[in-house]
Amino acid sequence: MTDPVLALDGVTKSFGPIEILHGVDFALRPGEVHALIGENGAGKSTTMKILAGYLDPTGGQVKLDGKPIGFSGSDQAEDLGVIMIHQEFNLAEHLSVDQNVFLGRELTKGWRLDHKSMRQRTADLLKRLHCKVDPGARVSGISVPDKQMVEIAKALSRKARVLIMDEPTAVLTERETEILFEQVERLRAEGVAILYTSHKLGEVKRIADRVTVLRDGTMVRSDLTADVTEDDMAAAMVGRELSDLFPPKLTGSDEPILTARNITVPGIVDDASLTLHKGEVLGIGGLVGSGRTELAEAIAGLRPRSGTVTLMDRDLPAGDVAQAMKAGLAYLTEDRKGAGLLLDKSLRENLTLPLLETFGSPLIERKREDAALDRAIEDFAIRAPARDMAVGDLSGGNQQKLLLAKTLLSNPQVVIIDEPTRGIDIGTKQQIYTLIAKLAAEGRSIIVISSEMPELIGLASRVVVMHAGRIAGELAGADVTEGGIVRLAMGMDGTSKDSAA
Amino acid sequence: MSTLRNMRQNLPVIAPIVALVVLILIGIALNPNFLSYANITNVLARSAFIGIIAIGMTFVITAGGLDLSVGSMAAFVAGLMILVMNLLTDSMGQGLPVILIGIALALGVGILAGFINGILITRAGIEAFILTLGTMGIYRSLVTWLADGGTLSLGYEMREMYRPVYYGGIMGISWPIIVFAALAILGEITMRHTAFGRHCAAIGSNEKVARYSSVSVTRVKLATYVLLGLLVGIAVVMYVPRLGSASATTGLLWELEAIAAVIIGGTLLKGGFGRVWGTVVGVLILSLIGNLLNLTDVVSPYLNGAIQGVVIILAVVLQRNTGTAR
């Protein structure tokens, strides 16, 4: 076994009087992919930030090449080849791809910037990553997976010895994940030590050589991946055996409740139609960028569209989200932080925002708001250290539960949930799955949009798959399989009416 | 320990009040006349114009907007009001109807001007800073043109008849102070306890989240500019009887004083959080600084702007690193 390049030795970390890491030690070795897993709030992010020099340990040591080191900051760590890619990207949106890759270390010719070589080097790096983005494109205009690739290109350009990735696959589809993993494998072959976190245990099993489990700031176990099963990992994370992740599926009635006909969003969604039945969980699959989210937003009145949407025999006007909500349709966004919650506001203010008028007019009754929050905290098992804290300080799982509570506040008959469990831990995932099943059992009708195949397969009795803005096909019952969804999502199904036309 | 931490967390909250109290204590120490009835009412009545405008500005800024045109708008509305009242006096003779029409005109034009700003910002999507920079120039130039480069003055008799709106009052409190206080209370309640106030904060905090939460973003933003226009109209109604005239220099820099008062009061310049009571404290701080310098000869009154500038900068420094939910 090779010597570790970067190691933690009995590291503890306290914020104020509260210790949140209790003696973590593990080592990253060259040419090894190390997965760090744990529930939200288990201390993964803190551990990574200590490794990458963003935080100082309170106790214990960080060792680089066997020698104790105190990084003066992430800059020094980066100079020494320890690079972290954050979940929320560190890219300057208004600059071009190549300007981002060389940001802070621009190549110069004399006193002038050497634009040509920077563009060329960026193009080479992106080519290595099989990424088709134009180095001159503005970052604000490229897709999320492409941004991920730009971050990796940036890391590669710095000759990374240790690459730390915080949930890199959370925003990627399975195909993009494959491309990322090819790169990870290539970097591993080149002797880079890689640490990454993920909530997707299947991925961990597939790509990681070694897996370390954190729970409540303590290292629970660290094994070679070959020696543990996914169930072992899940059990170690949660501290208990996880019974079946998905509740039993219900098949809805035949009575249509929501019909969308010939929905077109110019340039994104092309003539898509679908029907949702009462009490049904309908899945929408497809790659990121296939128009899933845009279709849902068009139905919910958040985007201009053509075509008709009928909810319980009522036509919903286009582009009017308030009308859609009144009629009994609610949409839960995939962009929790950007479009779902006001991060610097309290739980109460977030919860009641869509329906403020019903909490008293002209003056809002604080007591009724507080009562609603009490109910939400109980019904959705939201764990918040303080009621008046900013929502941005809650863990991702609790944010998602609050967003669900907010979306369901209007007591909608139809709920569209876009990426119900993005970036949240397995315990919370299970809670949310149970909740979705409960909503359907109550007679509500639900559309679930997801990039995670097991989620679609586990929840939905019927799945509509989109490809390039069109409905590529529909699967029901026993036909809802990973293979079937992927074939449709990639536009490979020859029987699809689109290709026949 | 917890009280100490609480205090540190609350520093941005209480800082404007502390500053106001310190100013008042300095005032008392330096000049016994400071707390006199005459001085206090004088300071308050002069603060009222900017104060009334600043209340509206609080809503605009909280919702993530800005309005640089209010000072010029006030001058234009005042000029137009005087011009029309003089014309009406010629045809209708002197009397209450002329004053009432003048007041209605000021309020109406204020609302219209606010509506124009708001509709161009929300529907045409023009950056608030740029648009109101433009309308600021337009109104300033219009009032100069109306006054033909000079001063528009209300006829002598009408001025005498209108005077009590500024100089009169009930129980020794003049009308501008009463109106300012009433609007401040109303504004604070609207900001804190109504859906409109909460929607302003939500939009300023994250417009996309507000839109996805079925808040009618354009309507609320438009309403903040219309409200501000109306308040400019009210301020003009109180201002015209004071001097009975308007010129190219009327309301000069009022927009900056109003914005400064809003920021000193703890409202975030980038939007998302606003408080009307803070704005009132901010207005008082700014006018007390001027008043103090006039009353004492420790520091030259010419340094008024410098001291106000320091206060504004300090207020913004204090606004940083506030972590808890608001």
Side-chain angles (χ1 to χ4, degrees):
Chain A
M1 201 190 269
T2 48
D3 287 331
V5 46
L6 188 64
L8 293 182
D9 190 2
V11 160
T12 64
K13 178 72 192 174
S14 304
F15 289 110
I18 304 152
E19 187 175 271
I20 61 161
L21 279 187
H22 322 285
V24 172
D25 32 4
F26 67 83
L28 304 176
R29 293 185 170 80
E32 190 177 81
V33 176
H34 196 130
L36 183 65
I37 61 175
E39 296 196 278
N40 289 330
K44 289 172 305 196
S45 295
T46 311
T47 307
M48 282 188 286
K49 283 179 183 161
I50 290 174
L51 280 169
Y54 288 87
L55 291 173
D56 291 325
T58 307
Q61 281 177 333
V62 182
K63 286 182 175 168
L64 184 70
D65 297 321
K67 290 187 213 62
I69 184 158
F71 291 128
S72 60
S74 59
D75 292 345
Q76 193 199 353
E78 285 186 3
D79 288 344
L80 293 167
V82 179
I83 291 166
M84 175 164 173
I85 298 177
H86 297 263
Q87 203 181 348
E88 274 104 41
F89 303 130
N90 262 332
L91 296 173
E93 293 272 326
H94 294 291
L95 297 186
S96 65
V97 170
D98 60 337
Q99 285 168 339
N100 265 288
V101 168
F102 286 97
L103 192 63
R105 302 162 304 119
E106 285 81 0
L107 302 178
T108 51
K109 232 193 289 184
W111 55 271
R112 289 179 310 130
L113 290 178
D114 188 355
H115 295 288
K116 212 172 141 197
S117 339
M118 284 194 281
R119 186 144 299 183
Q120 190 51 48
R121 297 255 309 260
T122 306
D124 294 345
L125 287 166
L126 290 172
K127 205 169 159 202
R128 263 169 77 189
L129 295 169
H130 299 282
C131 177
K132 292 194 184 71
V133 162
D134 173 12
R138 268 218 216 174
V139 165
S140 57
I142 68 176
S143 69
V144 171
D146 283 339
K147 286 183 187 174
Q148 180 90 55
M149 289 302 168
V150 173
E151 281 278 16
I152 293 169
K154 204 167 133 185
L156 291 179
S157 76
R158 294 186 183 187
K159 303 198 172 46
R161 297 176 65 205
V162 179
L163 189 59
I164 300 170
M165 293 189 276
D166 190 1
E167 287 196 45
T169 58
V171 293
L172 301 185
T173 59
E174 314 230 331
R175 197 171 66 129
E176 289 150 359
T177 303
E178 277 312 309
I179 296 174
L180 176 70
F181 282 176
E182 280 170 29
Q183 298 316 313
V184 168
E185 274 161 6
R186 218 178 37 74
L187 290 170
R188 167 166 60 192
E190 286 176 9
V192 176
I194 294 162
L195 176 76
Y196 101 114
T197 62
S198 177
H199 287 303
K200 301 174 187 173
L201 299 181
E203 270 177 31
V204 171
K205 187 75 184 151
R206 148 122 167 50
I207 189 77
D209 303 303
R210 185 180 288 275
V211 56
T212 295
V213 184
L214 282 180
R215 185 169 77 227
D216 298 331
T218 312
M219 219 181 83
V220 185
R221 57 189 295 175
S222 185
D223 309 86
L224 290 174
T225 315
D227 298 342
V228 287
T229 65
E230 285 180 43
D231 286 342
D232 293 340
M233 293 184 221
M237 278 165 62
V238 182
R240 61 188 149 87
E241 291 291 331
L242 269 181
S243 54
D244 217 1
L245 196 56
F246 295 98
K249 281 194 222 181
L250 293 164
T251 33
S253 65
D254 290 337
E255 183 194 338
I257 184 162
L258 176 83
T259 346
R261 289 264 160 271
N262 313 109
I263 303 294
T264 296
V265 177
I268 307 172
V269 179
D270 187 10
D271 196 28
S273 300
L274 57 82
T275 306
L276 175 68
H277 300 114
K278 195 164 165 41
E280 177 187 39
V281 179
L282 170 70
I284 300 183
L287 305 175
V288 168
S290 63
R292 308 173 312 191
T293 295
E294 290 80 3
L295 172 62
E297 291 185 349
I299 292 175
L302 285 159
R303 258 172 207 278
R305 60 164 153 86
S306 61
T308 56
V309 176
T310 315
L311 174 66
M312 293 181 282
D313 302 326
R314 266 182 69 184
D315 278 351
L316 298 182
D320 191 339
V321 60
Q323 276 298 322
M325 201 182 77
K326 276 204 195 91
L329 172 75
Y331 168 72
L332 189 147
T333 172
E334 60 166 346
D335 188 1
R336 186 162 65 221
K337 292 177 177 175
L341 296 170
L342 298 171
L343 298 180
D344 53 0
K345 298 280 176 198
S346 70
L347 281 77
R348 174 176 55 83
E349 286 164 290
N350 271 286
L351 178 69
T352 60
L353 185 61
L355 275 182
L356 260 187
E357 290 81 1
T358 63
F359 285 89
S361 179
L363 301 189
I364 302 166
E365 287 174 42
R366 184 73 181 265
K367 267 192 197 139
R368 274 163 66 185
E369 277 192 289
D370 276 325
L373 179 58
D374 284 337
R375 235 178 0 256
I377 286 177
E378 198 185 314
D379 290 354
F380 295 86
I382 299 168
R383 277 189 297 174
R387 286 176 70 104
D388 60 346
M389 69 192 284
V391 163
D393 295 335
L394 288 175
S395 71
N398 282 309
Q399 285 179 1
Q400 187 70 2
K401 289 188 210 165
L402 179 68
L403 185 56
L404 255 172
K406 175 185 161 184
T407 310
L408 294 173
L409 193 68
S410 60
N411 196 17
Q413 285 308 301
V414 173
V415 195
I416 306 177
I417 307 179
D418 201 348
E419 298 288 3
T421 62
R422 173 177 285 174
I424 63 181
D425 61 76
I426 193 144
T428 312
K429 266 187 187 177
Q430 194 185 25
Q431 288 177 319
I432 287 176
Y433 295 149
T434 312
L435 199 94
I436 290 173
K438 200 180 109 205
L439 291 172
E442 288 168 6
R444 285 179 231 264
S445 321
I446 293 144
I447 298 179
V448 171
I449 303 174
S450 180
S451 298
E452 290 185 42
M453 296 291 163
E455 205 163 273
L456 285 177
I457 297 163
L459 286 172
S461 48
R462 199 159 61 91
V463 175
V464 167
V465 183
M466 292 190 72
H467 171 70
R470 290 171 159 264
I471 305 278
E474 184 184 312
L475 303 163
D479 292 339
V480 181
T481 58
E482 198 156 339
I485 296 174
V486 169
R487 259 200 308 283
L488 287 171
M490 311 287 275
M492 293 195 309
D493 194 346
T495 61
S496 145
K497 55 185 178 212
D498 298 347
S499 49
Chain B
M1 182 212 77
S2 68
T3 46
L4 197 83
R5 237 176 66 193
N6 266 337
M7 268 183 61
R8 202 173 304 158
Q9 278 178 353
N10 286 335
L11 193 59
V13 180
I14 56 170
I17 298 179
V18 173
L20 184 63
V21 170
V22 168
L23 271 178
I24 292 174
L25 292 179
I26 294 176
I28 294 170
L30 288 181
N31 192 320
N33 282 331
F34 179 74
L35 271 189
S36 70
Y37 170 79
N39 189 49
I40 294 289
T41 48
N42 178 33
V43 168
L44 287 176
R46 281 156 159 270
S47 317
F49 313 123
I50 297 216
I52 290 169
I53 294 172
I55 291 168
M57 191 68 81
T58 312
F59 285 89
V60 169
I61 292 180
T62 301
L66 193 71
D67 192 341
L68 294 173
S69 71
V70 288
S72 308
M73 193 194 290
F76 171 67
V77 174
L80 199 65
M81 181 184 179
I82 291 169
L83 201 68
V84 170
M85 283 173 76
N86 283 344
L87 285 176
L88 286 177
T89 320
D90 294 343
S91 58
M92 294 169 60
Q94 301 144 12
L96 194 60
V98 175
I99 292 180
L100 291 180
I101 292 174
I103 290 175
L105 180 86
L107 301 184
V109 174
I111 289 174
L112 184 68
F115 182 80
I116 292 172
N117 276 344
I119 205 82
L120 287 172
I121 289 164
T122 54
R123 299 279 171 188
I126 306 171
E127 191 79 39
F129 185 95
I130 302 297
L131 180 92
T132 58
L133 192 64
T135 50
M136 169 171 128
I138 293 170
Y139 292 132
R140 180 63 63 197
S141 153
L142 281 178
V143 71
T144 316
W145 175 67
L146 285 181
D148 204 13
T151 303
L152 284 165
S153 295
L154 200 55
Y156 177 75
E157 293 82 7
M158 287 311 301
R159 202 188 305 178
E160 284 305 302
M161 195 180 286
Y162 195 8
R163 251 179 78 93
V165 173
Y166 180 79
Y167 292 97
I170 34 177
M171 295 189 301
I173 306 171
S174 67
W175 285 116
I177 300 177
I178 294 169
V179 171
F180 179 30
L183 289 174
I185 292 167
L186 216 59
E188 174 67 15
I189 291 173
T190 306
M191 182 65 92
R192 282 178 76 91
H193 298 293
T194 68
F196 174 68
R198 194 75 74 72
H199 286 166
C200 286
I203 292 167
S205 176
N206 185 332
E207 198 170 312
K208 196 171 177 196
V209 172
R211 197 164 68 80
Y212 274 62
S213 307
S214 79
V215 174
S216 39
V217 173
T218 38
R219 213 180 308 161
V220 171
K221 278 169 79 174
L222 176 59
T224 61
Y225 289 99
V226 172
L227 175 70
L228 177 55
L230 171 66
L231 289 170
V232 168
I234 295 176
V236 168
V237 167
M238 316 288 346
Y239 175 80
V240 167
R242 180 168 166 235
L243 296 175
S245 65
S247 71
T249 56
T250 300
L252 208 59
L253 297 182
W254 279 11
E255 62 281 340
L256 295 187
E257 276 204 51
I259 293 168
V262 171
I263 303 310
I264 291 171
T267 296
L268 296 178
L269 184 57
K270 64 177 168 56
F273 172 76
R275 48 186 192 196
V276 173
W277 70 260
T279 298
V280 173
V281 173
V283 170
L284 295 181
I285 288 175
L286 286 181
S287 27
L288 276 186
I289 293 172
N291 181 246
L292 268 178
L293 297 184
N294 282 329
L295 286 182
T296 62
D297 10 287
V298 181
V299 184
S300 161
Y302 295 128
L303 286 174
N304 186 0
I307 296 179
Q308 288 186 347
V310 170
V311 171
I312 294 165
I313 293 168
L314 276 180
V316 176
V317 169
L318 279 173
Q319 269 189 13
R320 294 185 311 190
N321 57 45
T322 48
T324 48
R326 284 176 291 249

